[in-house]
Structure formats: structure tokens, C-alpha cells
Amino acid sequence: MRDFEAYNPITQFFYFAAVLIIGMFSVNPVILGLSLFGACALLFFGKVRISKGNCLFFVAMSLLPILLNPLFDHHGDTILFVLNDNPVTLEAVLYGIASGVMILASLLWLKAFSAVMTSDRLLYLFSAVSPKLALLLSMTLRYIPLFAAQTGKVQAAQKAIGLYKEDNVIDGVKGGARVFSVMVTWALENGIITADSMEARGYGIGRRTSFAIYRFRKKDVIFLLFSAVLFGLSLYAVITGGYQFDYYPTVGTVSASPVSVIGFVAFGLLSILPSAILLFEDIRWKYYQSKI
Amino acid sequence: MTIKSEGLRKTLKIVIPAVLIPAVLILGLTVSDTKKAAFLIIAMLLLAGVLFVAGFEQRKTGTRRLILVAVFVALSVAGRFLPLFKPVTALTIIAGIYLGKEAGFLCGSLSAVISNFYYGQGPWTPFQMVAWGLAGFLAGILADPLKRSRVFLLLFGALSGCFFSLVMDVWTVTWAASVFDWDAYLAAFLTALPFTIMYSVSNVVFLLLIAKPFGEKLERVRIKYGI
Amino acid sequence: MEILSVENLSFSYAGASSPALSDVSFSVKEGDFVAVIGATGSGKTTFLRMLKRELQPLGALTGRILYQGQELSTLSPRDSAMKIGYVMQRPEQQIVTDRVWHELAFGLENLGMPQEQIRRRVAEMASYFGIEGWFLKNVSELSGGQKQLLNLASVMVMKPDILLLDEPTAQLDPIAARDFLETVAALNRDLSLTVIIIEHRLEEVIPVAHKILALKDGRVFAAGEAHETVKKLREVPEMLVGLPAAVRISAALSKSCCPVGMRVSAAPEENSCPITVREGREWIRSRFGNQVKALPVAPDRFAEADNAVEVKDLYFRYTRDGRDVLNGLSFAVRTGEIFCLLGGNGSGKSTALSVLSGIRRAYAGSVKIFGKKLQEYKNQSLYKECVALLPQDVQTVFLRNSVREELEDAGIVLPDKRQANGRSSLSDLPFDLTGLLDRHPYDLSGGQQQLVALAKVLAGKPKLLLLDEPTKGLDADTKARFLSYLKALQKSGMTLVVVTHDTEFAAEAADRCALLFRGETISTAEPRAFFSGNSFYTTAANRIAQGYYDLAASVNDVVELCRANHPAQNPAQNLTPKTVQNADLKSAGETPEARV
């Protein structure tokens, strides 16, 4: 993911927003396929690890509409069977599957988004909207690992002090509350030191600026231009109905009008843009190394 | 990329509520397909968030108050690591009661954003932000009666548990099922009922255990800090 | 040019009956390195906070504080924030943001500086302080020493003229503390930065200080050029405790602190006052012989005692793939002794303690406590009148809003209640807490917090007390008192295991010391033999005596040895000509009994 991480967070945010918006506005199977493919490619070339828990969640979330849609949606002409006096239609099943794929693709894009948008990148974005909120978030992110570590110390100290029982669930709950109570006091009382440290360094004397280590480089401009054009073309296809695909009353066919084809190509390019960069940089690096 | 000019900020503050929100609504109506509802609701929530943030940015917040809010959010996120306890709602309520409605909203919504750094961001984030944020906001408005009556406080805790669950069910339905209809919502509500009960009970237990000592500690710190 | 001057400054905290500072006058020149010293409660921190407008506490202030001839209160907020930098004690709590680079930029952001300027300053600072390598890191990944260095750098990035430091190394281990103080000294030396520092580690600070300001009960006790002031302070026992080992040795052997009979040497060196180890070595060698190389070895009091703790081949790691933090650790602690575990960071000291106290479990090896295996203590029986641990951070122990509730919570019987049946009572403790009962635990000083925590830990009536870094952040006086309480507990039959970085403390407290390195014990011995065996990891007193005397660990040992080698003590012995010269022959008739 390294070569894509080198871009400015604004570029990255714009890209993910563009892909997600198009991907979520359309149930056209071609778009769904391209979106799913693009997300998978990015996760693969970016070497993003997906945990078992993640996998389970993704599968469960995408199965939900596949199972639910036929049960609640009774439109469509092709009745497969009747359940509790309600018809279950082929169209509803297919639409459910399309929704499932859409959800899966969106979740995978979000997974890639989370892998790229680390907290400090997101903070940078926040600071464009509200520097103060960004600072508050940064302070909180500073406190969380500190509190987590201190919680561990408090648990150990309270155990080894030997004054409290830990025999059953009620004692356990009491123990948890005790640890939490110590943490609250500790955090509140020591917060004053942070406040002093902030004021000693001039917090609150006037308008703040907001520093970021991210620069906006030429490659950001190029990437933004590229993705903006592709996004524009896709959006045009959305608005003019180039991505139109009917499931009801009967499943339609994929349109092959010029607008649709241009739209498909544009979205296809958009969805593989970062993977292409990753792949290209990989090859270039290998080429450079072989020259040495 | 901070918005530097004061004029631009002011314009944004007018443009967003006066133009963007209606625009999103109209767009929502023209795209008659209900399955886009999820997306539109998210957009609405984000815009509301931007509005709130603009207000927060504008007001002067003292260093110590800022620290206290950070401490609250951090505690509620760090508290998710504790076994059995998920103190987010309870802490948000307490923040609202003792630090005011704005702090309550911030505590709730930021807890959602930040804990999702660890548990994963997604379209559910704005829903959690609103559900928790509003609980804190309401607690801020009802601060006086909540401080006075313990029974009311516990009731409020239980209701916020239900409220959180109800909001999250809206998300499940709009996102997962293609059509928002009341049958689906009822189904989602019923499947989530055990969770709802768990939320409410844990809120009540948590408030029962920490509300009073927490209030005392906070009062002391407020005097000590001079807030 | 005086960069800072304080004229007749008096200050009382809001609601306090007596003033915290009275009539303090002091001035600092540009480029001065000033050490502020004094006992706990002498007003050091209040004084330092007075010099930083943003941190001035609430209360009544009279007198004037002038920065560059201008009244401090009339400085613009921007100048006030920028020109005077302040670094506090606790590294963790001073850090505001989550990333190293953001923390460095924080002050400049507050000043409203544009991006490109911030980028330049931050880069420059990071390069100067050697922070580049961890520039992008999350602050929670840094060590304590790195955190404090970051705090220093994020103050320096604002280019202050004056740097105020309030016990900046109190929470650091000795190595990190030395690095930190060296950095501060370099800033002073290379950039002519004015430094005013409160510090307990006078061994390292006094040699580089130009001026010393000694406070006592909120008044200036002594002030002036460093060497002269030390000489003055040497005459005052209560100021002496915290001074460097060489000073204490010379004070004990000079005229004012010991009877006439022990007076050392004649003019012109009579008044000389050694400060560093090197000066101390010279001072002793030029005055005392070394015929008596070592003090008689005291019999081992615990040779016959049963083992209270027996650790055998202990292995422990935090994660499956991590390294073994305990790597075949073995040692034994005998009932009734004070056993000190020493070692650097990452040597496994604290981990060993957490295994002994049952907080963590080793994956191999055995631990026996009073002859019974650790695993056989079921259902918390380990903590029932058996083992208790005083944690490093004593604030982790406090739950309540007052010391009284804290002690009642622990089941300690307070003096105003009369049902003692078997429960421990406040009067059983070797120290007095009655004056603190109605205070909030967080309003107490570090030393007082330590005692309240200790009282709570002792309420479980442990036979084996484990202490993790108990002297961290304590000043010399408090430390000495704490030591006497530990000795009292030992006398009552308790066994104590102390994990510490503090070699001076170990030399005085321990019956035996052990050095840990990478999870195993490298050497175990009684402190004199232990420290004499080390050349670097040892006490200042031992470094002074090394090569000249054997088996000297503490200041007292060195003083004893010097006295034993004094011609007045051993008139019959053949003295080296040099020693004879230096000796005060008039007092040759004095008997050893006279000096008590």
C-alpha cells in the first residue's frame, strides 16, 4: 500500500469517496463486478491483511440482503415458490444477490480505506473542517493508549494489594468498577498537567494554525485530475441512465449504448487506478534494481 | 488545507444549511429508489455533523474543558477494553450532565468515531455518532432533573440503551434490506432485542455504580481546575 | 545583562494561612545555569511557577518579577508563551498530541505560525535532538526518556530565552536521566540558554551549575555562585542530605560536622569542598591513608534463616514470539532480610516482581514463597497475610476522596475508633498519618502518597513485602525517612524485596543485592561486596573510594574508612609521610568513643 500511501490524504479521501458513491448508487451487474474486482485488487496488491473476524463480518453482512430481500420484497414476475402466503420471486432473489455484492464491495473498499486512512490522516482531513476538533481528536488518541496502559497497571496493583476478593462474578464486577473508578480519578486529576503543558506553550492566545506533514505534490494533482475526470464520466452515466439496469418486473439486460460503454470503461479505470499505481511502482522498482 | 479566510467560513456556515441540506433532500426525492435512502441519510447526518462542528469551532473552549472532554472520550473508548463493561453510553450521559450538552454530544459522537479506529470505520459510524451524541445532548438538557433524581437517571440510562438500539436498527434495515418497510424494521428490532436489553441493563448497572462517585470526582476537579 | 530578576517576591496560595514564598530576591544573567534546591515544601516549585506567567497559581503576590527589565505581567501573551519555556516532572502527562511530529509543532501552531516555517523549525529541532528516527511514531511507543526529551524539544522549538525545569528527571531511570541532563547542559553551554532547574540528582547537576538558589520555608536560605554556595550548605545538616557524595564525605570529616578530634588538615585546603567524584577521590587521597583497606565484615545475620522466596530457572515472555524477559532467573531471599534487585531497563526486574506477586505467570520454572509453591496458593490465599506489592505508581492504589476513607476501606482501625479485634491499626505503622487523614490523596506530596499507599498495602498484614522502585521521584530527605520505615518493618519480622535503580538507596537499605541482566541474576552479594565488584553500575561513594579502599558502598562506609585511617585513630601505625603532613596532630589523644 506504500506507494498509494504517499499521496495526500485529501487525494485519497476524494478517490475513495468517488468509488464508493458510484459503487453504492448502482446495482448494474457490470459496475458491481468492476467495483468488487477493483476492491479485491487493491487489497491484494496493497497486501492488506484481513482477519478472520473481518471475513466473517463481511460474509454475514452481504448474506443479509441475499436472505432478507426475497422474504420482504414480493415484486417481480417469476415466482419461485410461495412462503407463508407470500410469493418468493426470482427477481427478488437476484436483486438480493446484487445488493449483497454491492455491500461486500463497499465493505472491501472501506477496508482498504481504513488501511490507508490511519488516524493521523483522518485528523488531517478533520483539521480542514475544524482545527479545534482535530486537536481534540488528537488529544484523545494520545490519551487512549495511555489510559489502556494505566488500566493494566491499576488492575495489577489492585490485585496485588491483597485487600479485595475476586471469588465470583459479583466480586469481578465490583473489581471492574473499582479499577474504572481509580482510572477516572487518575485521569481527571492528572489532566491538569496536560492543561498546564498546553497553556505553557501558548494554547489559547490567539488563532491557531494547523501543521501537517503531508504535502500536496504534483502527483496528487495528476491523480486528482485523472480520478475527477473518470468520476465525472461515471456520474454522467449515472444521471443519464447509462447504468440503468432493471430487476423488476423482470430482469433486464445490460445496456450497450455509447454512454453506458464510456461509463463502464471510466468506472473500470477508476476502480483499478490505485492497484495500477501499486503494480507499476513495483515493476519500476524491480527494473531499477536490476540496473544496479 | 485549513479553511483560512474568515469570510469563507461564514459563507460555508450559511451555504451548508440553506443550500446543501435541501439539495440533498431534493436529490433524495428524485432518486425515488428507496435503496438509496441509506446513503442519503448518511449524507444528512454528515452535514448535520459539519454544522455542529462549525459551531464548536467558533466558540471559545477553555483548555481545561477541552482536556476534560478528551479525558471522557478516552475513558469511554479505553473502557471498551474492560471485560463486561461498555461504559460509552453511561459516560456520555455523565459528560452531558456535568459538562453541558455540547460536551455530551462531543463525547458520544467522538467515542463512536475513535472506537471505530480500532473496530473498523464504516457507514455505521455516523449512526453511532448520532445515537450516542444525542443521548449526551439530551442528558445535557435534562441535567438538573437527572442530577436530582437517581431513579430518573437510571430510567434515562435504560431508555438511551433502547434509543441506541432503535437508531442502529434503522441502519441495519436501510443498509441491508433494499426497502425500508415497517415489517423489516420490526424484524430487525426483534432480532436485536437481546442486545437492546443488554445495552439498557449495562447502562443501568454502570450508572448505578459510577454516577455518584463520578459526579463527586468531577465536582472536585472542577473546583481544583477552576472551571 | 540580567535576563530575569525577582525582587522581594512573596506569595500566598488562595485560602492558605502562611505564605509559600516570602521576600525572595534573586537574579539570573543570560547564559546562567541555576540549580534550585531545598526540601519538600520549601517552595521550590511555587517559585519556579511564579516565573512562568501561564502557570502562576491563584493567590496573593507581592514584589516584582522582571524579564529583560520588563514586568512579567506586562509581557504580551505571545512573548510570555514563547520566551520562557517550562518542562515539568511527569513525561506522560505533558504530551498533548498523539504523534511525535505533531507534538513538536503544537507550540508553533498555537503561535499561529505558517506551515512552511513550522516545517523548518520542527525539522531543525528533530535533527538537533536526534528525534528523526522516531519522528513519525505514536508517542505511546516511546520510552520514558524519549518522552521527556520530546517534551524538552517541543518547548525548545519555540526558541525560548529561559528554560525552566521542574524535576524533569524524577520519573526517569538513571541512564535516561543522565542523557536528559547532559542535553540540558549542552543547550546551556552551546547556545547560552539560561536554565533554571529544580533537581534531586544533584550529583549530576551541581557540577554544571553556575549558581545555586537554596530555599527553606519559602525564604532564600543561600544563593550565589555554585561552589561557594555548596560550601555554605555543607555546614547545614538538613541541606547536606541531598548534596553529592563527595560533599557529604568531606562534610562528615570536616570540622563543623564532627568533633574537634576529627578535624582534618590545616589551611589552605582546610576549606576546600570537593563536588565531583574526581575531586572527592583527590580530596581523600591527599588526606587519608589506606592502611585499613576495608571495614570488618559483619556476620551474616540471616545465614541460618529459611528461604522466604525461592526462585528457580524462571522463564517468562510477554508474547509468544517475544524474547524471554526472564531467562532462567534464579535467586533466593531469606526470611527477614531486605533484598534489592538492581538492573537496567529491560533487565526484567519489574517483571520478576510481578511474577513473585502472582500478577503474571512464568511459563517455566518454579517460585516458592515460604516453602510453598506459588501455584498452590489458591483463591487469593497468596494475598492473605502473606504477600503484598507496593506498586511503582502509587496512584494506582487510591480509590477514595480522603486518606481517612482510603484507610477505612482497607480495614485499618483509625485512632478515634476502638474495635481493634485483630485488624491492623493506624498506630501499628512505623510512621504517622494522623495529620493527613482529611486530605485528598491526590493533594499529598509524592512522599506522603507513598506512605498512604504503603499503609494500605500493609493492612493485609503481609509477611513478604514487595516494593517496585519505591524511591522514584523522592528527594534525599524523604528517601532517608522512607528507608528508616522499611528498617522498622524489617525489625518487626517482615521480609522485603525491593526492585530499584537507585544504587545509593540499595547500598544503605539492602542486606543483599542482586544484579539482573537480560533476565538472569549476574551477581548476588551483600551491598559492600556487591558494589565494590562493580565499576560502573555502582554508587558515587564507591566510585570515590574505588581502588583505594575495598568494600565501601555508602557515604557512611567511606567516612568510616577514612576515620579508621586517620592518624588520630591509629597513632601507633606507621603513616605515609603525606598523611602525617595532613593530619591534625594536636588531637592525637582523642579516643574513638569521643566521636558519637
Side-chain angles (χ1 to χ4, degrees):
Chain A
M1 203 54 99
R2 216 183 129 149
D3 294 301
F4 189 51
E5 274 167 11
Y7 285 84
N8 189 291
I10 291 178
T11 314
Q12 294 158 343
F13 186 78
F14 176 81
Y15 175 76
F16 282 111
V19 178
L20 276 170
I21 286 172
I22 302 293
M24 282 163 68
F25 258 105
S26 174
V27 277
N28 188 312
V30 176
I31 296 296
L32 290 178
L34 290 171
S35 171
L36 190 62
F37 176 77
C40 291
L42 182 55
L43 290 173
F44 175 76
F45 287 115
K47 299 185 182 67
V48 178
R49 281 178 55 121
I50 298 175
S51 67
K52 259 190 209 146
N54 266 332
C55 259
L56 224 67
F57 177 69
F58 293 165
V59 170
M61 286 310 286
S62 29
L63 277 180
L64 215 58
I66 297 179
L67 297 176
L68 282 182
N69 198 59
L71 294 181
F72 289 103
D73 193 350
H74 309 300
H75 301 86
D77 286 352
T78 324
I79 296 168
L80 293 176
F81 54 92
V82 175
L83 194 76
N84 293 341
D85 294 337
N86 280 320
V88 172
T89 65
L90 175 69
E91 289 76 15
V93 170
L94 288 175
Y95 189 82
I97 291 173
S99 301
V101 172
M102 192 265 281
I103 283 171
L104 183 64
S106 308
L107 287 173
L108 290 176
W109 278 114
L110 279 167
K111 178 72 194 168
F113 175 79
S114 299
V116 174
M117 278 293 158
T118 48
S119 58
D120 48 339
R121 281 162 188 273
L122 213 56
L123 275 183
Y124 171 73
L125 294 176
F126 267 109
S127 76
V129 185
S130 165
K132 196 159 115 191
L133 188 71
L135 176 67
L136 180 60
L137 272 172
S138 176
M139 286 161 64
T140 312
L141 286 172
R142 150 85 199 107
Y143 272 148
I144 289 165
L146 182 65
F147 289 4
Q150 187 71 12
T151 307
K153 284 188 203 166
V154 172
Q155 270 168 335
Q158 293 291 325
K159 184 177 179 198
I161 202 172
L163 289 173
Y164 308 104
K165 278 185 286 201
E166 278 177 20
D167 297 341
N168 51 45
V169 182
I170 299 204
D171 286 340
V173 172
K174 276 188 187 162
R178 198 163 49 236
V179 169
F180 195 73
S181 166
V182 177
M183 277 309 299
V184 169
T185 312
W186 182 85
L188 290 176
E189 299 275 340
N190 287 315
I192 189 111
I193 302 174
T194 319
D196 279 348
S197 165
M198 287 171 76
E199 281 172 8
R201 283 185 281 158
Y203 179 77
I205 59 171
R207 249 208 102 57
R208 293 185 88 237
T209 45
S210 191
F211 175 67
I213 45 171
Y214 307 105
R215 288 171 183 269
F216 207 78
R217 296 169 203 269
K218 208 167 87 190
K219 64 177 178 182
D220 286 300
V221 179
I222 297 170
F223 189 98
L224 266 181
L225 268 176
F226 247 112
S227 43
V229 168
L230 295 175
F231 176 60
L233 288 173
S234 311
L235 208 58
Y236 180 73
V238 171
I239 291 166
T240 56
Y243 291 164
Q244 190 66 41
F245 186 86
D246 296 323
Y247 286 85
Y248 305 108
T250 49
V251 178
T253 50
V254 175
S255 155
S257 68
V259 178
S260 303
V261 173
I262 292 173
F264 291 146
V265 171
F267 184 73
L269 287 176
L270 184 67
S271 60
I272 58 162
L273 200 53
S275 325
I277 290 174
L278 290 175
L279 194 63
F280 173 72
E281 293 291 339
D282 251 5
I283 293 167
R284 201 164 69 148
W285 177 249
K286 288 212 175 93
Y287 175 73
Y288 274 141
Q289 266 199 329
S290 68
K291 284 273 174 192
I292 297 167
Chain B
M1 280 300 287
T2 320
I3 302 166
K4 283 187 192 78
S5 91
E6 206 66 37
L8 187 60
R9 276 167 198 271
K10 286 215 174 99
T11 332
L12 274 181
K13 270 180 75 183
I14 298 165
V15 165
I16 291 171
V19 181
L20 273 179
I21 293 186
V24 170
L25 270 176
I26 290 163
L27 193 68
L29 292 175
T30 50
V31 184
S32 55
D33 191 345
T34 30
K35 85 164 295 294
K36 273 94 192 183
F39 178 75
L40 286 167
I41 291 176
I42 291 170
M44 287 283 291
L45 296 181
L46 284 177
L47 282 174
V50 168
L51 268 185
F52 176 81
V53 165
F56 172 70
E57 180 69 21
Q58 215 59 42
R59 264 187 296 283
K60 219 173 153 61
T61 313
T63 317
R64 278 134 208 242
R65 186 172 282 271
L66 201 65
I67 296 258
L68 284 187
V69 176
V71 164
F72 264 86
V73 180
L75 277 174
S76 72
V77 177
R80 286 180 83 164
F81 297 119
L82 277 175
L84 293 172
F85 289 99
K86 304 293 167 232
V88 182
T89 316
L91 271 173
T92 303
I93 292 172
I94 293 174
I97 296 174
Y98 290 96
L99 299 174
K101 49 187 190 294
E102 188 187 60
F105 186 87
L106 275 176
C107 179
S109 51
L110 292 188
S111 299
V113 178
I114 293 180
S115 56
N116 287 347
F117 278 131
Y118 302 89
Y119 297 93
Q121 301 284 1
W124 51 87
T125 310
F127 286 90
Q128 289 178 332
M129 286 173 75
V130 165
W132 273 324
L134 281 182
F137 195 78
L138 271 179
I141 292 173
L142 299 173
D144 282 333
L146 283 173
K147 261 190 223 171
R148 249 177 288 133
S149 158
R150 203 170 161 82
V151 178
F152 184 44
L153 177 69
L154 298 182
L155 191 69
F156 187 84
L159 286 176
S160 339
C162 296
F163 176 69
F164 179 76
S165 206
L166 288 176
V167 173
M168 293 317 284
D169 290 340
V170 172
W171 176 71
T172 321
V173 172
T174 43
W175 175 254
S178 54
V179 187
F180 184 90
D181 77 56
W182 289 101
D183 286 350
Y185 188 66
L186 192 69
F189 177 73
L190 288 177
T191 20
L193 199 60
F195 290 99
T196 312
I197 293 170
M198 207 184 72
Y199 288 140
S200 300
V201 169
S202 92
N203 286 349
V204 169
V205 169
F206 217 87
L207 283 171
L208 200 65
L209 283 174
I210 66 166
K212 199 166 156 271
F214 211 112
E216 285 169 11
K217 285 170 191 187
L218 211 58
E219 271 319 304
R220 180 189 131 79
V221 168
R222 269 159 66 109
I223 294 164
K224 198 172 158 184
Y225 284 19
I227 298 171
Chain C
M1 168 77 190
E2 266 151 18
I3 193 166
L4 190 79
S5 63
V6 175
E7 293 169 10
N8 308 100
L9 177 70
S10 295
F11 177 79
S12 312
Y13 281 96
S17 51
S18 57
L21 292 173
S22 19
D23 202 26
V24 175
S25 295
F26 189 69
S27 71
V28 181
K29 283 206 187 65
E30 198 194 303
D32 270 350
F33 191 114
V34 183
V36 183
I37 62 178
T40 306
S42 61
K44 299 188 301 277
T45 297
T46 311
F47 174 72
L48 209 65
R49 282 182 165 251
M50 286 287 126
L51 306 182
K52 175 77 181 165
R53 197 174 71 197
E54 290 82 354
L55 300 182
Q56 282 180 353
L58 294 175
L61 184 155
T62 58
R64 302 207 303 166
I65 304 164
L66 301 174
Y67 164 77
Q68 307 267 35
Q70 191 189 350
E71 193 94 43
L72 195 66
S73 53
T74 63
L75 279 181
S76 71
R78 200 186 153 82
D79 277 345
S80 173
M82 241 168 78
K83 297 293 182 194
I84 301 175
Y86 199 103
V87 177
M88 289 170 273
Q89 200 184 99
R90 305 183 50 166
E92 299 275 8
Q93 265 80 22
Q94 288 176 77
I95 297 178
V96 178
T97 64
D98 63 329
R99 299 282 168 156
V100 171
W101 60 266
H102 196 183
E103 188 66 20
L104 281 172
F106 178 73
L108 303 177
E109 289 182 336
N110 293 336
L111 298 177
M113 202 176 261
Q115 277 270 348
E116 282 313 306
Q117 270 185 49
I118 297 184
R119 195 183 299 277
R120 211 189 126 180
R121 285 247 199 130
V122 162
E124 190 197 344
M125 259 317 123
S127 311
Y128 182 84
F129 282 93
I131 288 176
E132 250 178 303
W134 29 284
F135 189 67
L136 293 178
K137 271 197 182 172
N138 216 316
V139 288
S140 58
E141 295 165 45
L142 307 182
S143 71
Q146 286 175 323
K147 279 181 186 141
Q148 197 64 317
L149 206 62
L150 173 62
N151 286 322
L152 179 63
S154 24
V155 165
M156 288 310 298
V157 80
M158 299 173 82
K159 297 196 180 160
D161 292 338
I162 304 178
L163 182 61
L164 308 174
L165 302 123
D166 186 1
E167 293 184 30
T169 70
Q171 304 297 320
L172 306 185
D173 65 85
I175 310 280
R178 197 179 59 201
D179 285 349
F180 184 87
L181 291 173
E182 271 168 13
T183 309
V184 172
L187 286 171
N188 170 259
R189 195 176 55 230
D190 303 343
L191 308 171
S192 192
L193 175 74
T194 310
V195 174
I196 306 179
I197 184 171
I198 301 176
E199 185 52 71
H200 293 322
R201 296 176 201 264
L202 296 178
E203 204 82 50
E204 276 128 85
V205 167
I206 287 188
V208 291
H210 307 129
K211 274 188 189 162
I212 288 177
L213 171 66
L215 294 174
K216 190 190 167 198
D217 303 328
R219 293 175 181 279
V220 178
F221 183 77
E225 190 273 323
H227 204 264
E228 287 305 311
T229 315
V230 169
K231 217 184 271 178
K232 258 186 249 167
L233 294 175
R234 188 168 67 154
E235 315 296 322
V236 191
E238 53 175 304
M239 286 288 177
L240 185 65
V241 279
L243 293 176
V247 181
R248 278 182 289 154
I249 291 171
S250 75
L253 296 165
S254 300
K255 54 171 183 186
S256 54
C257 290
C258 60
V260 193
M262 289 312 299
R263 189 182 300 171
V264 186
S265 165
E269 284 165 311
E270 161 122 21
N271 240 342
S272 75
C273 175
I275 291 177
T276 61
V277 166
R278 192 182 58 209
E279 287 164 3
R281 283 174 78 92
E282 259 166 46
W283 193 87
I284 288 179
R285 279 163 205 243
S286 63
R287 283 169 176 76
F288 302 93
N290 63 346
Q291 288 72 30
V292 183
K293 286 282 270 188
L295 294 166
V297 177
D300 187 353
R301 286 191 289 153
F302 304 98
E304 302 293 310
D306 292 333
N307 283 341
V309 180
E310 228 179 293
V311 174
K312 252 202 197 111
D313 297 323
L314 216 52
Y315 289 87
F316 176 86
R317 57 174 87 130
Y318 284 93
T319 52
R320 180 76 190 80
D321 308 321
R323 75 176 177 94
D324 282 323
V325 179
L326 300 182
N327 187 15
L329 179 71
S330 303
F331 65 87
V333 179
R334 299 164 307 180
T335 308
E337 74 176 343
I338 298 183
F339 188 83
C340 283
L341 276 172
L342 293 112
N345 270 347
S347 61
K349 312 187 294 296
S350 293
T351 310
L353 215 54
S354 63
V355 172
L356 283 192
S357 58
I359 294 169
R360 296 186 200 285
R361 248 182 108 151
Y363 72 87
S366 81
V367 179
K368 277 188 190 167
I369 308 266
F370 295 111
K372 192 169 151 187
K373 277 199 174 152
L374 200 59
Q375 301 91 287
E376 288 165 16
Y377 286 92
K378 293 266 156 59
N379 296 329
Q380 300 246 307
S381 63
L382 180 63
Y383 306 115
K384 285 199 187 94
E385 309 198 352
C386 185
V387 177
L389 170 73
L390 181 71
Q392 190 176 124
D393 178 357
V394 291
Q395 289 184 341
T396 54
V397 166
F398 301 136
L399 292 165
R400 305 273 167 196
N401 293 327
S402 72
V403 174
R404 181 186 299 277
E405 290 172 41
E406 207 68 73
L407 297 178
E408 279 172 349
D409 196 54
I412 296 172
V413 178
L414 299 172
D416 40 0
K417 296 193 179 138
R418 291 238 166 82
Q419 0 78 294
N421 44 18
R423 294 199 289 163
S424 50
S425 142
L426 197 60
S427 49
D428 295 346
L429 296 170
F431 42 85
D432 185 22
L433 294 177
T434 41
L436 306 177
L437 286 178
D438 294 314
R439 304 268 299 274
H440 191 283
Y442 278 79
D443 291 340
L444 304 177
S445 73
Q448 290 167 332
Q449 285 186 348
Q450 182 110 10
L451 293 185
V452 175
L454 184 60
K456 240 189 131 173
V457 168
L458 290 175
K461 295 193 169 173
K463 285 186 285 179
L464 172 67
L465 180 62
L466 311 172
L467 302 102
D468 194 358
E469 299 282 2
T471 62
K472 204 172 194 177
L474 300 186
D475 66 18
D477 191 39
T478 316
K479 218 192 279 185
R481 256 177 290 140
F482 190 72
L483 173 61
S484 71
Y485 304 143
L486 293 190
K487 292 273 187 196
L489 291 176
Q490 181 188 26
K491 221 173 220 165
S492 72
M494 209 177 281
T495 309
L496 293 96
V497 177
V498 185
V499 156
T500 183
H501 274 304
D502 189 338
T503 49
E504 320 282 331
F505 177 78
E508 288 185 32
D511 293 299
R512 284 189 312 147
C513 296
L515 180 68
L516 257 65
F517 180 73
R518 294 186 70 82
E520 51 182 332
T521 36
I522 299 297
S523 62
T524 311
E526 62 90 28
R528 286 174 186 165
F530 177 83
F531 287 111
S532 308
N534 297 349
S535 316
F536 303 97
Y537 197 86
T538 182
T539 60
N542 176 259
R543 270 177 275 165
I544 289 173
Q546 224 164 59
Y548 202 56
Y549 298 134
D550 293 333
L551 302 183
S554 64
V555 166
N556 270 342
D557 294 344
V558 179
V559 170
E560 289 294 316
L561 275 164
C562 288
R563 281 179 177 155
N565 282 297
H566 196 275
Q569 287 297 300
N570 312 300
Q573 275 187 10
N574 289 323
L575 301 171
T576 58
K578 197 174 170 191
T579 331
V580 174
Q581 261 176 15
N582 287 341
D584 188 342
L585 292 171
K586 275 180 287 180
S587 58
E590 287 284 335
T591 53
E593 283 78 21
R595 45 161 197 100
V596 176

